Amino acid sequence: MKKALALILMMLLALSPLAGAQAAEKPLTVVTSFYPLYIFAQNILKDVPGVTLENLTHPTTGCLHDYQLLASDMKTLAQADALLINGGGMESFLPTVQEQFPALTITDSSQGITLIPADELLADVEEAHDHDGHDHGEFNAHIWLDPRNASAMTDTMAQELMKLLPAHADLIERNAQAYQAKLAALDAELREQLANLPRRDIVTFHEAFPYFARAYDLHVVAVLALEPEESLTPQMVATLVDKVRAHGLPPLFTEPQYEDRAARAVALETGAKVYELDPVVTGDGSPTAYEDTMRKNAAILVEALSTP
């Protein structure tokens, strides 16, 4: 009889509002694969209680080209309830994660986004490069550099987080919508700034900017290095020099995360000017980092492309 009463009491406690609130407040650890997703997730999870947000890779890592998981990464994933990834082939280590942590909820934020085939860019620039067996993947994965894609990524992540945190779904939805409004304003601002520039051709450091270029009607006429750590041979430099001259000396854009020797070599031979565009893969981690960096990029483009 005592056992029956105890069981009934436990059931009543489990059904009580207090117990429901305690269950709803169960701590949740959300991990993002790299920097831009961390910025988006910060905005989505603003003021949501009981959530720990961590970034898997160090904020100075940059793009996850051939990134190898560290022991510290595995420890982080072992404690994670959810992993938010870029998708599109960016996380080459994903099969390892799926094998080691089969119960981990993984959200691919590239869902629903039209991906640019890698060959679409390579067809225009590969003659200058010796790929040495590099696999560039089926698609270009730098989707976040179009603010409209960033908005779609935000929505995909928010929808999954609302499922994981139903008690805070309304707050997550409001946060996501507020951030999407900021991204829409950013897109409109950039679209106006870049609409009537006298020049549209650019040369980029690596294949990070085709989504940005497509969004704002810019033309990537050459890529200095298809791999961030690629060393250019004299023949490759000569081919790039010819291409830059053929397109009327478009500006060359390096990235702050990598050395600019290739750009300097081409600039020395052609007289083309060198500027810097940031692919938003490293930074201070502030919630406004994406918007701040994209506005800085737009200002640099206006400066570089306003000179006939």
Side-chain angles (χ1 to χ4, degrees):
M1 184 64 179
K2 289 182 178 180
K3 289 184 178 180
L5 289 173
L7 181 60
I8 292 172
L9 181 60
M10 289 175 63
M11 292 174 64
L12 290 173
L13 287 172
L15 293 173
S16 70
L18 178 60
Q22 290 174 338
E25 294 172 3
K26 179 183 176 182
L28 189 82
T29 298
V30 176
V31 175
T32 53
S33 61
F34 78 131
Y35 185 75
L37 297 179
Y38 178 72
I39 302 304
F40 301 159
Q42 276 193 85
N43 286 277
I44 297 168
L45 293 170
K46 180 183 177 182
D47 298 328
V48 177
V51 179
T52 299
L53 176 63
E54 296 186 35
N55 196 43
L56 182 66
T57 55
H58 195 275
T60 61
T61 300
C63 288
L64 302 179
H65 298 278
D66 301 320
Y67 181 81
Q68 300 294 317
L69 290 171
L70 306 174
S72 57
D73 298 331
M74 301 302 281
K75 182 178 180 182
T76 298
L77 290 169
Q79 300 170 347
D81 297 294
L83 173 64
L84 308 177
I85 68 169
N86 181 81
M90 177 60 72
E91 291 85 0
S92 58
F93 53 77
L94 186 59
T96 299
V97 174
Q98 292 171 320
E99 179 181 350
Q100 294 294 320
F101 306 100
L104 180 62
T105 298
I106 300 175
T107 299
D108 182 342
S109 64
S110 70
Q111 296 175 58
I113 293 175
T114 301
L115 301 178
I116 296 175
D119 289 346
E120 183 176 311
L121 176 65
L122 295 178
D124 292 330
V125 302
E126 65 183 355
E127 71 273 10
H129 297 266
D130 176 9
H131 303 313
D132 194 26
H134 286 303
D135 179 12
H136 298 280
E138 184 179 357
F139 298 104
N140 186 298
H142 301 77
I143 54 175
W144 67 92
L145 286 166
D146 179 343
R148 294 170 300 180
N149 287 348
S151 181
M153 296 165 75
T154 295
D155 184 65
T156 297
M157 291 189 287
Q159 293 300 323
E160 187 60 41
L161 290 169
M162 289 166 64
K163 295 176 186 176
L164 295 172
L165 294 160
H168 305 296
D170 289 344
L171 176 56
I172 292 171
E173 185 174 25
R174 289 196 301 273
N175 285 345
Q177 290 176 350
Y179 190 53
Q180 287 177 300
K182 292 180 180 179
L183 293 174
L186 172 67
D187 177 53
E189 182 181 326
L190 268 58
R191 199 167 297 281
E192 181 178 359
Q193 282 184 280
L194 303 175
N196 298 307
L197 297 175
R199 305 176 72 184
R200 315 300 299 179
D201 292 346
I202 61 175
V203 177
T204 63
F205 172 70
H206 85 295
E207 75 278 24
F209 286 93
Y211 291 94
F212 185 97
R214 183 175 66 179
Y216 302 110
D217 193 28
L218 302 176
H219 308 136
V220 180
V221 299
V223 172
L224 294 168
L226 294 176
E227 295 289 336
E229 305 301 333
E230 181 179 16
S231 297
L232 270 64
T233 65
Q235 181 180 359
M236 293 159 68
V237 172
T239 302
L240 286 166
V241 164
D242 289 343
K243 178 159 282 192
V244 169
R245 285 174 174 161
H247 284 86
L249 307 184
L252 315 177
F253 293 98
T254 61
E255 297 174 17
Q257 294 82 11
Y258 305 106
E259 293 184 357
D260 62 358
R261 285 179 295 180
R264 297 297 171 186
V266 174
L268 186 63
E269 291 291 329
T270 63
K273 293 184 178 181
V274 179
Y275 300 86
E276 191 174 83
L277 288 181
D278 192 332
V280 203
V281 292
T282 61
D284 62 9
S286 66
T288 63
Y290 179 81
E291 303 150 78
D292 296 341
T293 304
M294 293 291 276
R295 287 190 171 97
K296 182 179 178 181
N297 283 342
I300 291 170
L301 283 162
V302 168
E303 177 187 353
L305 296 173
S306 292
T307 304

